[in-house]
Amino acid sequence: MKKSHKKRKKIDSRQIAYARFMFIAAIIGFWFVGISLRLVHLQVSQHDWLREKAIDQRQDTKKTKLLRGTIFDRDERPLAMSIKVSTLYADPTEIDDIDHAAKLAAKALKLDAKAVAKDLREAKDAKKRYVPIAKKLEADQVQAVNKALFDPDAKKADEPRSPGFHWVDDQKRTYPYQTLAAQVVGFSNTDDEGQAGIEQSQDELLHGAIIKKLQERDRLGRVYGETIFERERPGDIVLTLSTSIQFKTERALEAGVKAANAKSGMAVVMDPKTGEILAMANYPTFDPNSIRDAVPATFKNNVVQSAYSPGSVFKLITYGSGLEKNLFGPNDMIDAGNGTIEVANHTFRESHHVGTVTYAEALAVSSNVCAIKTGLRVGKEDFYSTLKKMGFGSKTGIDLPAETAGIVRRPEKWNGDSLASMSIGYEIGVTALQMTSAFATIANDGIRVQPHVIKQIRRDGDPPVSPQLADSTRVVSEETARELRQMLKQVVLTGTGKRAQLDGYNAAGKTGTAWKFNPETKRVDSSKYISSFIGMAPADDPRVVIAVVMDEPSGGARDGGMVSAPVFKNIAEQILPELGVQKNGTPAKDTTLAEIVSETPTDSAPMPSPEKETPKQPADSRPRKADVIGKKEVSDDRTAKNEKKKTETSKKKT
Amino acid sequence: MSTTTIRRNRMGKKKKAKIASPLRVLATMAIAGAIVVSGIFLAATQHFSFWDLSIKNSRLRQQIDALQAEKRRLLVAREVSLSPAEIKKAAEKASLLGTPGEPAISQSFPKPNAAAIASVQRKESTTPVSSAAAVMKTTLVRPALQPNAPVQIAKRTNGEAERRRIVSNAE
């Protein structure tokens, strides 16, 4: 019994040890199981939440906008460029001592500390995490603020080293040349959206996309990894404008507008061979850097957005049609009679006595009667066809926004006197660019080239591309264009455009003075004028076509030859040497006191309004035969033969 | 029973074999330990150098961004300073151009009298003109109101040199 008792005792102590061991093992086992279960629970059911929390501690996402594309002139000078700026904001939830922080910020930015503190306190109460303190600060200002807000005790890796204050990237659009080509370049708003000009028409290309930057930070907040979700970078645009020519044009136009005491003015300089616009100016103008101070009316680019009655400048088309149809030659005699002509009960008058002159002289003195006679002989359909071929009544397709097509009614809607009115530049609405393009066609030997302001488009990584242009078309024969140029040269030498004579160059051009259309009375207003001069130089091989249009000149002389021709001269004499054109003409005489034939209109003619077309009336559609007398009376047979010959020649040349 | 004996014998042989090369085992363990430790050390070094390089890389990227932004800013500043309007402003400030409707500075001063001119001419003829110290005479700063007062000539600021300086700084 004793033995068995001893044995039991022995067994008990072993069992106790075993039991203890097992107990501890069980505890450890349970502990492990518990931890495992917890881990499984965390990793399976709370996986997303934990992952998000971990990423949030390590990573931060920054959204920034790529800088908007740059607009260059043809010599690579930036006309519009975006620069990086920064906005300082505060996160009040990170700030303990609001008064101290407000004091620091106010001192750095010269603000009212009380107002800043009030804003921060209100934002903290509302648990707002973004309170902008100063917007769009440039690099030097940012450095100054960083210095002022530096706190050596702050545990922060980013600038400014002050708890609660942060920088956010922003961009600012700048126009280094200020008012230069403001209407062409346009401007963009604070949201980086183009509002006018190239900025608007090419907004899709220039617009900077928002990119996401994923930054990974260590425990001290230092960035050690960055992933950028790239987007297509915005493109750059190279314009055909030349800063230098644009500046000279603008300066000459400003002087001209001020001298004529005009309401406004516009000028275009175009290369007739390529259709490139070298300068496009409007006066008054604005500075796109300070849009808030600008007058909204000046944002409009009148060169492409305003239609007006061109007046006598349009006789180029009328006389050109006469030459093209071979109804007249430059040396044919034409009689302006007693200076009046009646068409459909409407009497048109000459502004001065013309008498019997050559066809070239008739254009030189801007004879209304001769132009009407020509128009009537050309006929409705052919005249309309020439207008359309020249590009009137349709947009030129220039890369600028809100271009107007002008007003050209179909022949079925013309009145009895419409053809006569249109022959002298009334009952039609044109833009300055359309008129310039028509003159450029004559300068380019009758071939019409699409005017354009964009030379190149550049995208990141791609070779630069030129914009697609419409095919060049022949509008009039080379012979007609040459004859017209000679006739236009006569206008400058002996006619209404004497003040456009250049020093050392031969110029050709046409003056125009038209009454303005009053939309209220639906008639022209004889007290308001549009005075223009469109010319080309050198006359024999034109390198530039320059158009100058003055709106409502009121300082004495109001004729295009008196008001606009000197501006043409001013521009041409400055830019021709720059374009490398050698002087070939005789030095200009002093034409400031030259007796200039007046071309102020003497009869009113209604102009069509786009809203209400004038009712169709039985028009006297039968063309009245012009009283062609003298040296070379043109017979119908000759006309037909010559026309056939001309067409064949031009076809071959084309 | 016999089977057991054989097993014991085998175990004994094995033990003998193991006991025979304790140094070998230790050496192997030491080598393995060294490999593991050096591996861990290398990994740690690489990890920390990656960390360090990443931070430096990030800083450099930030610097590139900042420099590019600065380059654009300077380019704009250069174009602004070269724009015709700014040049005109600067010229007006430097009195090289008269504002419209305002007579030029030289016209507003009274003409120096004959005696003053004569004294100046006398002085000019006596002082030898060195070609090295030639000063371009542009603006009359102070009129010679008194007969013996010397005429001071303003030194012309070289616009082209200034422009070049700005451009070279910008580039």
Side-chain angles (χ1 to χ4, degrees), chain A residues 55-107:
Chain A
I55 289 171
D56 201 35
Q57 279 175 353
R58 194 163 48 93
Q59 290 180 342
D60 72 51
T61 311
K62 260 179 128 181
K63 277 183 183 175
T64 47
K65 209 169 194 186
L66 289 170
L67 289 178
R68 194 175 166 82
T70 306
I71 302 173
F72 295 99
D73 84 331
R74 64 187 300 126
D75 304 317
E76 304 286 327
R77 289 177 178 276
L79 297 172
M81 200 175 192
S82 288
I83 54 167
K84 215 171 171 182
V85 287
S86 304
T87 293
L88 180 74
Y89 76 95
D91 180 354
T93 58
E94 293 175 6
I95 303 171
D96 297 326
D97 189 353
I98 282 197
D99 288 324
H100 177 66
K103 214 174 174 182
L104 276 175
K107 196 182 171 189

Side-chain angles (χ1 to χ4, degrees), chain B residues 90-135:
Chain B
E92 273 168 9
K93 227 176 185 180
S95 305
L96 292 173
L97 289 177
T99 46
E102 193 181 281
I105 296 168
S106 56
Q107 287 170 1
S108 63
F109 292 123
K111 252 187 169 179
N113 58 28
I117 294 166
S119 74
V120 170
Q121 279 171 348
R122 259 203 311 278
K123 260 195 169 177
E124 277 179 351
S125 61
T126 50
T127 40
V129 182
S130 67
S131 59
V135 179

